[in-house]
Amino acid sequence: MLIKCICKSCAGHLEFEEENAGQKIKCPHCGFDTTLYLPGAERAEAALATLNRKLRLQKLVLLGLAAVLVLGGLGWCLYHWGMPVIENQFPSVESPLLRVLMLMALCLGLPLLLMWLLLPIFLFLAWRRFLRLMASIEQHLRPNSSADSPETTAEEETPTKA
Ligand SMILES: [Zn+2]
């Protein structure tokens, strides 16, 4: 059964056998490579593509809405519980805008402060792990310490501290 389609380069009419659909041929009109396609199949593909795009857009919109809701809720909670703290701590600040700014600064500052407080603990733990590692290396080296001195291997290992 002969099928008709249009060349995608020159829009010239092409006729081909149904089983040749999907084949790439040189267009007899313009000489460029063109793919033979079933007219219905192309439409279905385009419809599927638009459907996919629509679904993706819908998902994006839903995600955006969820993000706005979560952020809004967080912001509201922060405002609800943080504002009295600001008002109590800094009663001299009258402007509400300044209060909001102070609240935001506080929210940014607290995690930073926490990080600074926790950093020495992390360093201490890392140092202890390093010492333990060194001890285990020394223990493993002890049986064949006659081959190479432990001092040189210890020196080789020190860069891992940095
Ligand atoms: Zn053509």
Side-chain angles (χ1 to χ4, degrees):
M1 182 185 156
L2 275 179
I3 308 279
K4 283 180 192 166
C5 78
I6 288 169
C7 168
K8 280 173 182 168
S9 303
C10 69
H13 288 271
L14 302 169
E15 266 187 2
F16 61 95
E17 290 291 339
E18 194 173 358
E19 68 253 31
N20 292 333
Q23 260 182 19
K24 209 174 213 181
I25 59 146
K26 210 173 260 271
C27 171
H29 304 290
C30 64
F32 282 108
D33 282 344
T34 185
T35 309
L36 299 172
Y37 61 91
L38 300 170
E42 204 201 27
R43 230 171 294 142
E45 236 168 70
L48 203 69
T50 35
L51 196 73
N52 271 339
R53 215 173 307 136
K54 217 184 273 176
L55 278 176
R56 240 193 335 253
L57 201 73
Q58 242 169 26
K59 214 195 259 175
L60 215 69
V61 166
L62 275 178
L63 273 176
L65 269 176
V68 164
L69 270 177
V70 167
L71 283 179
L74 272 178
W76 189 83
C77 287
L78 217 62
Y79 186 82
H80 192 70
W81 284 304
M83 218 34 128
V85 175
I86 296 279
E87 277 168 21
N88 286 335
Q89 292 295 326
F90 310 98
S92 54
V93 180
E94 294 290 337
S95 151
L97 183 71
L98 209 61
R99 278 182 181 164
V100 169
L101 281 177
M102 281 171 84
L103 188 64
M104 280 165 78
L106 204 71
C107 289
L108 286 175
L110 273 179
L112 274 177
L113 197 72
L114 211 66
M115 240 162 73
W116 269 111
L117 287 174
L118 289 179
L119 199 65
I121 299 171
F122 278 125
L123 280 178
F124 178 68
L125 287 178
W127 175 247
R128 271 182 46 173
R129 194 177 301 158
F130 173 72
L131 283 181
R132 224 177 302 142
L133 190 75
M134 292 305 291
S136 77
I137 286 170
E138 216 175 75
Q139 237 165 25
H140 280 293
L141 283 175
R142 207 160 281 162
N144 54 355
S145 57
S146 54
D148 51 342
S149 72
E151 274 123 57
T152 50
T153 44
E155 263 172 28
E156 276 167 23
E157 290 297 326
T158 33
T160 53
K161 182 174 61 176

